Amino acid sequence: MFKFFGKQKKFSASQFKQKEVPEKLYNKCESCSEMIYYQDLDQNKHVCPKCGHHFSLKAYKRIELTVDLGTFREFNKLMKTKNVLDFPGYMDKLDKASKQSGLKEAVITGYGDIQGKRCVICVMDSNFMMGSMGSVVGEKITRAIEKSMKHRLPLVIYCASGGARMQEGIVSLMQMAKVSAALKKHSEMGLLYICVLTHPTTGGVTASFAMLGDIILAEPGALIGFAGPRVIKQTIRQELPEGFQSAEFLQDHGFVDKVVNRNDMRKTLYRILKIHGGE
Amino acid sequence: MEKNKILLDGELQRVKHDPLENVNIARSIERPTAKDYIDMIFDHFIELHGDRAYGDDASTIGGIAMLNDMPVTVIGQQKGRDLDENLKRNFAMPYPEGYRKALRLMKQAEKFNRPIICFVDTPGAYCGLGAEERGQGHAIATNLFEISELKVPVISVVIGEGGSGGALALSVGDQMWMMEYAIYSILSPEGFASILWKDSSKVKEAADLMKLTSFDLFNLGIADKIIPEPTGGISMKGPYQDCMQYLKDLLVGEIRSLKAMPIKGLLKKRYQKYRNIGI
Ligand SMILES: [Zn+2]
């Protein structure tokens, strides 16, 4: 059944760790200002032990926390964008983003097992140009959906995005249509799609694949919305209510199935996958 | 019709519009609105209201009509002619219930095997508290998802402003046409300038960069046809009848040929159109 893994090299977990600056010994919680010893934070999956604030996670770290050790096989790792609109300075900006984040683009995609349940998993990273969706993000996610159709595997997408990528203009907008149409085919085949909304999920990602999961989970406190709070404030010229556009707000308004603490996420994903059958 | 021939033969470089001037023409209060096109092109139009869940969004109109001898469903984003009407129409910025009404009418069209024609004219989907509470992102995403597999021909014509996801949600069918002076962009040039340069007055610079004219969209392979307008733009105060008649003839011809296609082939072609945009 899984002979398609044959051709690919095996990676150990440490090999797909993102190149990054050495972690600080202590991190200050953005929410409660507590100084937390890095190892304590890491052990708690980057959730503040004092107040429960969910720190932002890099994509490979997220993979490490989600899939079984050594099971991740990345697709299209090197895919890079072209400057479709000849936007001045875009290529430099991409280079900078790449150096800063250790990523080639704002999403990584691949196969992975969650407690032995094989799936296709996509993880966005807001450290790369705000997790914006340009043609590479759209293409990588579409190809991942196609892989999951080809092998009839469930699909898990972790969203984190500021929206469409301005530098790719209208081409970026069209990625919303491309991914949504692929998800429709996926759905028609009776396959499971779970999305996990993390901080922040806004704009074109919210108006496409983030809202199309059969089951939509979200991390506590994540900002989720179509328009960003700044834009809304400008439009209505008043302060936004407390908690507006938080994961909990979306659950209350019927757009998120369940807010799940990061420490329970892997278990929750496993249970959903188990209930939907498969190996 | 000499100019039409030039445009339709794809020799578009010969007719270039100044982008900013084009933006202003696209927004002109004298341009025909969706209702003006509907009155001129269709017979027996009956407007149908409401999304069956929350309310009736006046920014989006829709209903059933005859196109010559063919029953069709028509949907349009409706701007006002004066301030009062614009307040009622919310300046053609739909709420989620506008998109849900559109989708309801599209599903109805599918049931009765009626082709669908959409007139797109919006600065963007509305950004505000109610729009977020009622799931603007979800409404747009669902349209992208469902329209990709609707089993009837869908043609969209951008008649004025094609603003971002708010326009996309009504323009992902088999064919996307643009009136010559219509624009289509990821964001308004003002918004674009404010995001990139923190200065919303740099509209001209933004418009020059964004590739938002009908010619740009045609060259990018996103617009399938450009409908020629009188020089300086179509206006309800000028001769508009010939231009609309020309559009009507094109619609009749295209719908006939789309209806003649086997549905599987039609959907495959629709999928491929978006699948091929980007990398
Ligand atoms: Zn804390």
Side-chain angles (χ1 to χ4, degrees), chain A residues 79-82 84-88 135-136 139 142-143 146 164-167 169-178 180-185 187-188 206-208 211-212 225-227 230-232 235-236 238 240-241 244-245 249 253 255, chain B residues 100 107 125-130 132-142 144-146 148-149 151 162-166 168 171-172 176 184-187 192 194-197 209-211 217 220 222 267-268 271 274-279:
Chain A
M79 191 188 288
K80 280 176 88 169
T81 192
K82 286 178 228 140
V84 273
L85 300 186
D86 301 317
F87 198 92
S135 52
V136 170
E139 182 68 21
T142 304
R143 287 193 195 182
E146 287 168 348
R165 185 161 309 160
M166 292 301 136
Q167 291 84 350
I170 197 78
V171 175
S172 167
L173 190 72
M174 294 296 146
Q175 303 307 309
M176 294 163 62
K178 177 161 109 180
S180 302
L183 284 172
K184 177 69 179 175
K185 279 178 175 285
S187 181
E188 295 283 300
T206 300
S208 60
M211 286 291 144
L212 294 174
F226 172 65
R230 199 177 52 89
V231 177
I232 300 174
T235 313
I236 64 170
Q238 64 187 63
L240 303 179
F244 185 67
Q245 296 186 309
F249 175 92
H253 285 83
F255 293 99
Chain B
R100 292 184 181 125
K107 290 275 187 187
Y126 188 63
C127 300
L129 299 184
E132 294 292 324
E133 285 166 352
R134 301 197 288 279
Q136 189 70 284
H138 176 267
I140 294 172
T142 306
L144 302 178
F145 186 75
E146 295 294 343
S148 73
E149 291 256 356
K151 292 172 186 63
S164 197
L168 188 68
S171 63
V172 289
M176 194 277 274
Y184 197 159
S185 57
I186 189 170
L187 194 65
F192 193 82
S194 117
I195 286 190
L196 280 173
W197 306 302
L209 267 179
M210 289 175 78
K211 298 211 164 64
L217 274 283
L220 286 165
I222 297 169
L267 294 181
K268 198 168 171 192
Y271 183 75
Y274 293 93
R275 182 67 192 85
N276 294 335
I277 299 175
I279 293 295

Side-chain angles (χ1 to χ4, degrees), chain B residues 57-85:
Chain B
D57 182 7
S59 73
T60 305
I61 60 171
I64 49 178
M66 296 297 288
L67 175 61
N68 286 351
D69 56 345
M70 282 183 291
V72 293
T73 286
V74 190
I75 296 161
Q77 291 165 328
Q78 182 63 35
K79 287 192 177 172
R81 264 273 122 64
D82 52 40
L83 185 62
D84 275 353
E85 202 195 344

Side-chain angles (χ1 to χ4, degrees), chain B residues 39-66:
Chain B
D39 290 345
M40 180 78 192
I41 293 174
F42 305 92
D43 301 311
H44 309 297
F45 176 69
I46 301 173
E47 187 176 352
L48 303 172
H49 294 272
D51 71 342
R52 298 293 187 271
Y54 179 81
D56 184 47
D57 182 7
S59 73
T60 305
I61 60 171
I64 49 178
M66 296 297 288

